[in-house]
Each structure stands twice: as structure tokens, then as C-alpha cells.
């Protein structure tokens, strides 16, 4: 019923609204109508589709078999509506790897047009977020370019509160006190919005990059959860709606090493929008030039294209591939 896909180590389940309803989950027929009733169906959908079968959870694995659930399509022709459900039952505005996976599922179902399509993610934090997707081949690999639009920068772009300005490489960034309290090396952060909110902490030394194993352990996990998650799971500090966290360090020209702690998920092997936010933050502080940027995460490398003109970043595109996993 639920088909799982892997995109750079990010795993999502994909299921149609009709299949969920047949399984007894009370999901409305329209994606937009699912938002107001989210509390009544999201936990049941995650339990049904993403919980490990009894006795099958591997040792040291995450509490769910995937990083989230994609519900869609709600139509048989473009534009396609989709819901991105985190494993805590909340709704995400956008997921680069998730939308790559959804595009692959649409292709396998014979629904993805050759010229690409518009995907609309419905969520409870504002208007639906639209992403234009186009099938493409890069270095012999078949995948999809996702047009993530023009990024926004700074505390106002993500609704951050009680943060101070601080200089980094001659550029104004933000000092997020809860992050700096966890590690003094985490004192310089760039807020970026790419349809969803990100806080990219800029590092001078790769030794300050946290590992996913470290981020799963106490007390670091609790501290990061307080920052990344909205209330009541976290503290929503400094962003009341929560924020995705990244750490980045320049490895070589146009190549960034990164780690990710996602709002609603925790440490993840990779994240498409996080990689895009990292590339945008790196451009903002002069680490990289416009054009192709490689962002290396534990789950793999994400190629990002930055389009800049007259000192302004006009757009960002992400290339991704996904593979269907065996049950």
C-alpha cells in the first residue's frame, strides 16, 4: 500500500489519498480541506504507513521506517497537490528530497508530463508552496530539477525573534544564543527561507560539525529539539513556528560540507531544501560564487544551481534522483 523511496539517504513513504481512505484513515477528498482536520488524521496516517512492523525495527534505527509521508496525488493531471507529513504528524511546507521522490512516483504512475509539472504542497502555516519540477539527465543520471524560487534572508524571513546581529567574513549574520550555548563554535548563523525556514550555522573548522550520532544523544538532542521544533514538542526559540537547522563549512571552492537537524524529524542523512539553504547562505557570506555548488551531506551530495545578478540571488535550483525501495 505504501511505497518507499530513497533520495540521498532521505526516505519517504508515498501513498494515495484513496488508499488511505480505504485503510480507514478519514482523509478529506481535497488537499486544501485536509489542513483544518490535520489533527484527526495525520497521526493515524503515520502510524499506518511509517511505523516499523512488529519486531522488524533494526537496532540503532530511527523510531520510524521513513523520514515522513507523502500523500498524493489528489489529481490525475498537473498541477499536482501533495501533503508532506513529518513523522511527528506536523505538515512541512517543502522538502526537496520529498518532492524529488514524489516526482519519481508520478513518473512511475505515468502522470508526470515530459515537460515537467507544478507541485503544490498544502500545509498549515500559510498558502500552498509551489515548486516547478522538470525531468532531466545530469552526468548520465536521470532525475529532476526543482525550481525553488528566490530565497529570503535574515530573521524576518523566518520569523526569528530575540536574535542579535553579528559579523562573519564582513557580512551581517545572526547570533542565535541557544545554539551558541550548546557549542561556542556555533555563534554565527544565516537565516534563509526557501519556501520553508532554515538556520545555517557557519563554521570555520570541520571539527565543529556535529555528527548525526551526536545529535541523537542527550543532552544535545534535547537542546536542538528545543530550537528546531515548535511548541509543544520544542520551545520554538528563536522561531515560534520552528526552523530547520544546518551546519556548514567550506571544504574547497564551490564545495560545502553540511549536517542537518530537521524540524519535525531530527538529524537526517540529507535534505534537499537544507542543502539549498546552505548553498544560499554560503553565497551570502562570499564562500561561493553563483553557478553550481556541491553540498555534501552524510546521505550524499546535492548539486545546487544559484542564479545571481547585480549582487542579488534571483533563484535556486536543486537536482535530485530517487529510487524505489524493496519492501
Amino acid at each position: 500500500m505504501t511505497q518507499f523511496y530513497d533520495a540521498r539517504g532521505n526516505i519517504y513513504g508515498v501513498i494515495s489519498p484513496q488508499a488511505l481512505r480505504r485503510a480507514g484513515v478519514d482523509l478529506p477528498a481535497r488537499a486544501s480541506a485536509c489542513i483544518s482536520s490535520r489533527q484527526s488524521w495525520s497521526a493515524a496516517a503515520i502510524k499506518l504507513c511509517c511505523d516499523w512492523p512488529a519486531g522488524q525495527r533494526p537496532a540503532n534505527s530511527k523510531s520510524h521506517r521513513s523520514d515522513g509521508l507523502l500523500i498524493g496525488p489528489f489529481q490525475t493531471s498537473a498541477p499536482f497537490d501533495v501533503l508532506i507529513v513529518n513523522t511527528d504528524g506536523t505538515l512541512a511546507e517543502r522538502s526537496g528530497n520529498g518532492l524529488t521522490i514524489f516526482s519519481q512516483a508520478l513518473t512511475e504512475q505515468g502522470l508526470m508530463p515530459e515537460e515537467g509539472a507544478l507541485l503544490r504542497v498544502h500545509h498549515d502555516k500559510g498558502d500552498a508552496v509551489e515548486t516547478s519540477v522538470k525531468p532531466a539527465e545530469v552526468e548520465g543520471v536521470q532525475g529532476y530539477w526543482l525550481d525553488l524560487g528566490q530565497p529570503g534572508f535574515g530573521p524576518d524571513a523566518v520569523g526569528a525573534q530575540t536574535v542579535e546581529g553579528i559579523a562573519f567574513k564582513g557580512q551581517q549574520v545572526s547570533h542565535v544564543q541557544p545554539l551558541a550555548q550548546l557549542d561556542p563554535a556555533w555563534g554565527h548563523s544565516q537565516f534563509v527561507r526557501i519556501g520553508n525556514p532554515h538556520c545555517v550555522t557557519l563554521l570555520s573548522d570541520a571539527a565543529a560539525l556535529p555528527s548525526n550520532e551526536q545529535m541523537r544523544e542527550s543532552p544535545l538532542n534535547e537542546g536542538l529539539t528545543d530550537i528546531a521544533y515548535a511548541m509543544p514538542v520544542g520551545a520554538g526559540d528563536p522561531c515560534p513556528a520552528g526552523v530547520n537547522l544546518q551546519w556548514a563549512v567550506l571544504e574547497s571552492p564551490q564545495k560545502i560540507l553540511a549536517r542537518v537537524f530537521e524540524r519535525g524529524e531530527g538529524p537526517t542523512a540529507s535534505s534537499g531544501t537544507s542543502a539549498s539553504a546552505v548553498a544560499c547562505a554560503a553565497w551570502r557570506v562570499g564562500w561561493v560564487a553563483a553557478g553550481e555548488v556541491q553540498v555534501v551531506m552524510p546521505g550524499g551530495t546535492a548539486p545546487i544551481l544559484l542564479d545571481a545578478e547585480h549582487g542579488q540571488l534571483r533563484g535556486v535550483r536543486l537536482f535530485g534522483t530517487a529510487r524505489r525501495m524493496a519492501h
Side-chain angles (χ1 to χ4, degrees):
M1 181 175 65
T2 307
Q3 180 61 58
F4 292 92
Y5 293 80
D6 184 328
R8 280 187 292 260
N10 230 189
I11 297 171
Y12 278 86
V14 182
I15 190 169
S16 70
Q18 297 85 351
L20 268 180
R21 286 193 288 270
R22 287 195 298 268
V25 177
D26 187 18
L27 191 75
R30 293 182 298 111
S32 57
C34 296
I35 306 308
S36 60
S37 63
R38 193 264 299 174
Q39 297 281 1
S40 70
W41 60 262
S42 66
I46 291 295
K47 181 176 178 60
L48 175 71
C49 302
C50 301
D51 278 7
W52 289 101
Q56 294 186 24
R57 179 180 174 182
N60 301 319
S61 68
K62 297 179 73 168
S63 57
H64 294 85
R65 62 188 299 187
S66 69
D67 296 295
L69 181 67
L70 308 174
I71 302 175
F74 286 77
Q75 308 94 329
T76 56
S77 61
F80 296 106
D81 291 336
V82 60
L83 303 170
I84 303 176
V85 190
N86 296 318
T87 54
D88 67 352
T90 58
L91 300 177
E93 300 103 311
R94 180 181 267 169
S95 164
N97 289 338
L99 293 180
T100 298
I101 286 169
F102 189 61
S103 299
Q104 180 64 32
L106 290 172
T107 298
E108 293 178 5
Q109 296 168 30
L111 298 176
M112 176 64 76
E114 289 184 10
E115 67 274 15
L118 186 68
L119 309 182
R120 297 187 300 210
V121 179
H122 293 261
H123 58 93
D124 51 7
K125 303 171 187 69
D127 295 336
V129 174
E130 298 183 342
T131 303
S132 176
V133 176
K134 185 175 180 59
E137 185 177 299
V138 174
E139 296 182 354
V141 177
Q142 192 65 41
Y144 306 89
W145 279 110
L146 278 62
D147 186 347
L148 303 180
Q150 185 173 21
F153 294 99
D156 290 346
V158 299
Q161 302 173 357
T162 64
V163 296
E164 300 175 353
I166 191 171
F168 182 83
K169 306 293 184 183
Q171 296 292 324
Q172 183 81 353
V173 296
S174 296
H175 180 76
V176 181
Q177 186 62 24
L179 278 170
Q181 287 176 336
L182 294 175
D183 189 323
W186 299 351
H188 301 85
S189 300
Q190 175 67 65
F191 290 108
V192 185
R193 176 171 286 279
I194 308 183
N196 56 353
H198 301 270
C199 175
V200 182
T201 297
L202 304 155
L203 307 174
S204 301
D205 187 350
L209 285 169
S211 71
N212 283 9
E213 291 74 17
Q214 289 172 328
M215 291 191 286
R216 291 192 184 102
E217 296 174 354
S218 301
L220 183 57
N221 183 271
E222 286 80 359
L224 294 176
T225 297
D226 272 349
I227 299 167
Y229 285 57
M231 293 180 68
V233 178
D237 182 16
C239 301
V243 66
N244 299 292
L245 303 176
Q246 301 85 25
W247 294 260
V249 64
L250 179 65
E251 184 186 52
S252 58
Q254 302 298 104
K255 187 175 184 180
I256 308 291
L257 302 182
R259 299 292 184 269
V260 182
F261 188 98
E262 284 191 296
R263 171 187 62 171
E265 289 302 319
T268 58
S270 75
S271 162
T273 57
S274 288
S276 303
V278 165
C280 292
W283 175 87
R284 182 83 166 184
V285 299
W287 274 357
V288 300
E292 183 170 343
V293 178
Q294 301 286 326
V295 178
V296 183
M297 301 163 288
T301 300
I304 311 292
L305 280 180
L306 300 178
D307 177 18
E309 187 176 46
H310 305 307
Q312 296 292 321
L313 197 54
R314 300 193 308 173
V316 54
R317 291 195 294 155
L318 164 73
F319 180 76
T321 65
R323 64 176 181 86
R324 179 193 283 250
M325 301 174 66
H327 285 288

